[in-house]
Amino acid sequence: DKEVVWQRFKAASDAIYARRDAYLQNLQQELQENLNTKATLSDELQGFVTFQSDRIKDWNQKTKEILEIQKRWEIIGGLPRTKAKDVNRKFWSAFKTFFNNKNAFFKKLDEERERNLQLKNDLVKRALELKESSDWEKTSNELKNLQQKWKEVGPVPEKFREKVFKEFKEACDHFFEQRRTQHDKLENEQAENLRLKEQICVELESHASGKTGSAEILQELQNRYSDIGFVPRKDINTIRSRYQEAVERFIDSIPGLSEDEKGKISLENQLSELRNDPMADRK
């Protein structure tokens, strides 16, 4: 029975070895496929090593992409032991380089935003110094210049963005609101001044028509006219022409004056106008 038993035992053993060989063959094939897949992912990752951008959005998009590749990498099974170290080193080296570059970008970005915050705080400080100014024209131009500089300064840290902008805007708005209020007040005053000057013109014209004028009345009306402040810019030439014509008619209507006396009064009136002109020092 020795040979029979041996053959039986050998057949069983050979069957086990055959299954083992088939398993190992399949395993090696699977490991090789895994190696090929991971090698492809490693090659795909090399493009991330040299990635650079100055936009946060681009970095965030690339981060999503590389993390998706990492997920695909992690679900892949084992590798041939002799090849695993090299392909793993290649993949994780590229992975680490990308995130080192990303961290360097955001560190630089944080430093730039801190510098921008300092620049904007300086603009806020200057705007606060100017907000109560009553030198309307000069301050208005300077604040507009500050606003232009504000636009040119880059972003600041997110947690300070609203606060620093609110402080700057409130300072600018305060000045321009004060200027607008003053401008409205000035317009009202100038409109009233125009009304008063027109009233004097009416008096001059009335005296001229009735021939009831005199040098004393003219002097009194001239003084009142000179004491009145500015009128709206658009009405300056009109009221000036009307006043000059009214004065000339008034002088011509004064009874009992010679032509020389009328000429003297007319000249004195012109000199008085020059003295009271805003540009009197040049005229």
Side-chain angles (χ1 to χ4, degrees):
D1 297 321
K2 178 180 179 180
E3 184 63 26
V4 174
V5 173
W6 166 249
Q7 290 299 329
R8 184 182 175 190
F9 174 77
K10 185 176 182 299
S13 297
D14 289 346
I16 290 173
Y17 288 129
R19 289 176 60 200
R20 184 198 67 173
D21 291 343
Y23 166 75
L24 291 177
Q25 184 177 359
N26 290 334
L27 178 61
Q28 289 301 320
Q29 183 177 351
E30 181 182 329
L31 293 178
Q32 185 60 44
E33 290 175 355
N34 291 345
L35 176 64
N36 293 339
T37 303
K38 284 199 169 183
T40 300
L41 292 180
S42 293
D43 291 340
E44 186 177 343
L45 214 61
Q46 298 314 300
F48 289 80
V49 172
T50 56
F51 174 78
Q52 289 294 336
S53 176
D54 58 358
R55 299 176 59 193
I56 296 176
K57 182 179 179 181
D58 292 343
W59 281 101
N60 289 340
Q61 179 60 36
K62 277 294 181 183
T63 301
K64 289 180 182 179
E65 294 175 13
I66 199 172
L67 292 177
E68 284 298 321
I69 295 175
Q70 182 190 16
K71 288 180 183 179
R72 288 157 55 194
W73 173 277
E74 291 175 346
I75 62 176
I76 298 171
L79 304 175
R81 185 169 298 178
T82 57
K83 303 288 186 178
K85 187 174 182 179
D86 290 339
V87 74
N88 281 332
R89 183 189 297 116
K90 183 177 180 181
F91 180 88
W92 292 112
S93 175
F95 190 89
K96 182 178 179 181
T97 299
F98 170 80
F99 280 100
N100 284 342
N101 291 340
K102 179 183 176 182
N103 290 338
F105 165 76
F106 277 97
K107 181 179 179 182
K108 180 181 177 182
L109 185 66
D110 288 341
E111 292 172 352
E112 289 177 353
R113 290 189 171 189
E114 286 296 332
R115 288 195 295 270
N116 292 340
L117 177 61
Q118 182 58 50
L119 291 173
K120 288 196 170 181
N121 279 330
D122 291 342
L123 294 177
V124 169
K125 180 180 177 182
R126 183 55 182 157
L128 290 172
E129 292 171 351
L130 295 171
K131 64 180 288 188
E132 299 296 346
S133 172
S134 57
D135 189 347
W136 308 114
E137 191 66 25
K138 180 181 177 181
T139 304
S140 176
N141 290 334
E142 185 171 353
L143 280 175
K144 288 177 181 178
N145 186 45
L146 293 182
Q147 290 173 332
Q148 182 59 40
K149 288 182 179 179
W150 183 278
K151 294 177 181 178
E152 294 169 358
V153 177
V156 302
E158 188 67 24
K159 63 181 178 179
F160 297 110
R161 185 172 64 87
E162 291 295 334
K163 177 177 179 293
V164 72
F165 176 71
K166 182 180 179 183
E167 290 176 348
F168 182 73
K169 184 175 184 299
E170 286 180 350
C172 293
D173 287 349
H174 177 82
F175 169 80
F176 286 111
E177 176 62 23
Q178 293 293 100
R179 189 188 72 162
R180 186 188 66 77
T181 300
Q182 178 64 23
H183 181 71
D184 291 346
K185 179 181 178 182
L186 186 62
E187 281 190 339
N188 291 336
E189 289 178 354
Q190 290 182 348
E192 176 61 15
N193 291 341
L194 177 62
R195 187 189 69 80
L196 293 174
K197 287 191 173 184
E198 288 175 337
Q199 182 176 325
I200 291 174
C201 289
V202 169
E203 292 184 44
L204 288 168
E205 290 161 354
S206 177
H207 281 296
S209 298
K211 300 186 182 300
T212 55
S214 65
E216 291 75 17
I217 293 175
L218 177 61
Q219 186 63 52
E220 188 262 334
L221 291 175
Q222 285 176 329
N223 291 339
R224 282 169 53 194
Y225 189 90
S226 297
D227 289 341
I228 298 171
F230 295 110
V231 300
R233 184 183 299 272
K234 63 183 178 63
D235 298 305
I236 291 176
N237 291 332
T238 301
I239 190 63
R240 178 182 294 156
S241 296
R242 181 179 178 183
Y243 174 72
Q244 290 172 347
E245 290 176 5
V247 168
E248 291 300 322
R249 286 177 57 198
F250 183 97
I251 294 172
D252 287 340
S253 70
I254 298 176
L257 289 182
S258 67
E259 290 301 318
D260 287 343
E261 289 173 324
K262 291 180 180 180
K264 180 181 178 182
I265 293 175
S266 178
L267 178 59
E268 288 176 348
N269 175 67
Q270 293 177 44
L271 292 173
S272 176
E273 283 191 49
L274 289 174
R275 282 195 301 272
N276 291 295
D277 192 280
M279 304 295 290
D281 56 332
R282 293 176 59 185
K283 290 192 174 183

